[in-house]
Amino acid sequence: MIGTRGVPARYGGFETAVEEIGSRLAAAGHEVRVYCRSAEERLAIYKEMRLVHLPAVRHKVLETLSHTAVSVGHLMGRRTDVALVFNAANAPLLPLIRAARIPVATHVDGLEWKRAKWNGLGQRYYLAAERLSVRWSDRIIADAQAIQDYYRERYGVPSVMIPYGAPIQERCDEGLLRGEGYEPGGFHLVVARFEPENHVDLIVEGYARSAARLPLVVVGSAPYAEEYSRRIARTADGDERIRLVGGVWNQDLLDAMYAGCATYLHGHSVGGTNPSLLRAMGAGAPVIAFDVVFNREVLGGSGVFFGDAETLAEAVENAEKQPDRERERGVAGRERARHEYTWDDVAARYERLCQDLRARTPR
């Protein structure tokens, strides 16, 4: 499993997927090797997965590709039945994997070229990487029906649709929440990287315009978006209801925040099936989401949607007026996650994909 920051998962959706899928494959008896970016904590084994720690250039443009390049070099010298590559940005390295006669499936993620952090050159690179992923992968993995449709309509190729899974929480650790200063059911929550396509600024602006009484807790930061972060801070400045708390790395506390919020405000717009959205659904959080096809696909009838600051403000105010209705929406979202987005099912589908690739590709 190659192309991510590795495990233990502490950052994003890819890392969560690698941990959840890889640990299940390892428990089923497969030998799983995960390539990790060098960190202070260098575990050799984690949840029965073998970890390989290699360096990367710490730069937003070069970090992913540089780490994957040295990982591929390591990969080519070792017996490997199947390679799972995460992120279409790594496509230029796929011919090396194929030259070693290792069957490879690429998880292409969302529409990365639409992200505002990439300039014209970056957008052209990601569009080229999409094309190369299609050309050089034995199989393409899409994590949402809309992504699968995009690759079929734009490139005329089939893909395997395997979403992420949702951890299910039946209860909230209210003692932990109160110990950290949060009242269960007494705050609205945002968890997101500070990037324009995640619309954290729009959420903060809409909330600031609202007459909401419950505070807004914003969890997240941006390693490469200082100006965007300053814009959010300026919008929140002077509004005592808005709390910008940065990253929350205590996963038990973050679980409690998902399960204990009055609403979860989700602004992601260019990914596929978003892991933080699934995490909120699995915790029973009533979700108010940015109105795009990906979010509607995941939430089904359990979501409320916004497209601008005014509709966000209205949705938050309505949620506070009708808490019983919001709790019902939260329960409906959790049941949808329980039946449609389970990690056991996701891992089983990856296992079948790997077995199929190994059987069909000449050694």
Side-chain angles (χ1 to χ4, degrees):
M1 305 181 86
I2 191 169
T4 76
R5 289 174 177 80
V7 296
R10 293 192 178 93
Y11 192 76
F14 273 155
E15 289 72 30
T16 299
V18 167
E19 180 167 327
E20 296 289 350
I21 297 163
S23 61
R24 284 168 171 79
L25 294 178
H30 301 288
E31 182 179 322
V32 178
R33 188 188 319 134
V34 178
Y35 287 92
C36 308
R37 297 180 197 174
S38 294
E40 293 181 6
E41 183 182 17
R42 296 194 180 191
L43 302 175
I45 302 291
Y46 178 68
K47 294 186 176 180
E48 301 182 60
M49 299 175 284
R50 297 186 180 185
L51 310 189
V52 179
H53 297 272
L54 295 170
V57 176
R58 300 299 178 183
H59 185 278
K60 81 171 184 178
V61 174
L62 301 174
E63 185 170 344
T64 296
L65 195 62
S66 65
H67 179 258
T68 302
V70 294
S71 300
V72 168
H74 184 278
L75 176 78
M76 292 176 67
R78 285 152 183 83
R79 182 182 180 277
T80 304
D81 293 313
V82 176
L84 297 176
V85 174
F86 293 81
N87 196 339
N90 294 308
L93 298 164
L94 294 176
L96 297 177
I97 300 175
R98 290 177 64 99
R101 296 187 179 276
I102 300 171
V104 57
T106 302
H107 187 309
V108 291
D109 199 17
L111 308 181
E112 187 72 19
W113 56 271
K114 287 190 173 184
R115 294 190 183 275
K117 67 181 179 180
W118 304 120
N119 56 24
L121 181 61
Q123 290 172 342
R124 289 193 293 274
Y125 175 82
Y126 272 98
L127 281 169
E130 281 187 359
R131 293 192 293 271
L132 297 178
S133 295
V134 169
R135 180 178 179 181
W136 289 332
S137 301
D138 293 298
R139 297 301 293 271
I140 292 292
I141 303 169
D143 63 32
Q145 183 65 52
I147 296 295
Q148 189 175 46
D149 294 342
Y150 169 83
Y151 273 81
R152 182 178 62 250
E153 293 165 7
R154 186 177 184 109
Y155 300 107
V157 297
S159 58
V160 181
M161 205 290 275
I162 310 178
Y164 292 108
I168 303 300
Q169 286 191 73
E170 300 290 354
R171 57 178 294 275
C172 172
D173 189 338
E174 296 185 356
L176 178 58
L177 268 188
R178 288 195 174 98
E180 295 293 330
Y182 302 106
E183 183 62 27
F187 60 96
H188 304 281
L189 178 66
V190 181
V191 180
R193 281 184 235 167
F194 286 10
E195 296 177 344
E197 55 279 350
N198 292 345
H199 295 100
V200 179
D201 57 341
L202 177 61
I203 292 172
V204 172
E205 178 188 352
Y207 175 87
R209 292 186 186 185
S210 77
R213 297 176 298 101
L214 302 180
L216 174 67
V217 178
V218 182
V219 176
S221 60
Y224 300 120
E226 293 181 4
E227 176 52 38
Y228 186 72
S229 298
R230 285 194 291 268
R231 187 194 316 165
I232 294 169
R234 285 194 298 267
T235 305
D237 188 39
D239 192 329
E240 295 182 353
R241 301 172 301 165
I242 302 174
R243 306 177 188 174
L244 306 179
V245 302
V248 173
W249 309 115
N250 181 334
Q251 295 302 307
D252 291 334
L253 174 58
L254 197 56
D255 284 342
M257 294 175 77
Y258 277 110
C261 65
T263 67
Y264 175 72
L265 307 178
H266 184 75
H268 296 63
S269 63
V270 302
T273 302
N274 183 267
S276 71
L277 174 56
L278 290 176
R279 194 169 178 179
M281 291 171 65
V287 177
I288 300 172
F290 190 75
D291 194 358
V292 291
V293 62
F294 306 116
N295 295 336
R296 285 191 174 271
E297 177 183 329
V298 174
L299 284 161
S302 70
V304 168
F305 300 92
F306 68 94
D308 53 35
E310 288 74 16
T311 53
L312 183 281
E314 182 180 359
V316 171
E317 291 171 357
N318 289 339
E320 292 191 1
K321 292 174 184 176
Q322 305 178 72
D324 291 341
R325 186 199 66 174
E326 294 303 288
R327 281 190 286 271
E328 291 174 1
R329 286 204 306 113
V331 170
R334 180 164 54 207
E335 291 308 302
R336 179 172 174 79
R338 191 195 310 276
H339 294 290
E340 301 294 333
Y341 298 98
T342 67
W343 280 118
D344 286 345
D345 177 60
V346 169
R349 291 158 78 172
Y350 269 91
E351 182 180 42
R352 289 194 296 270
L353 170 63
C354 291
Q355 290 170 337
D356 180 57
L357 283 171
R358 186 186 181 201
R360 292 169 52 184
T361 305
R363 301 300 297 163

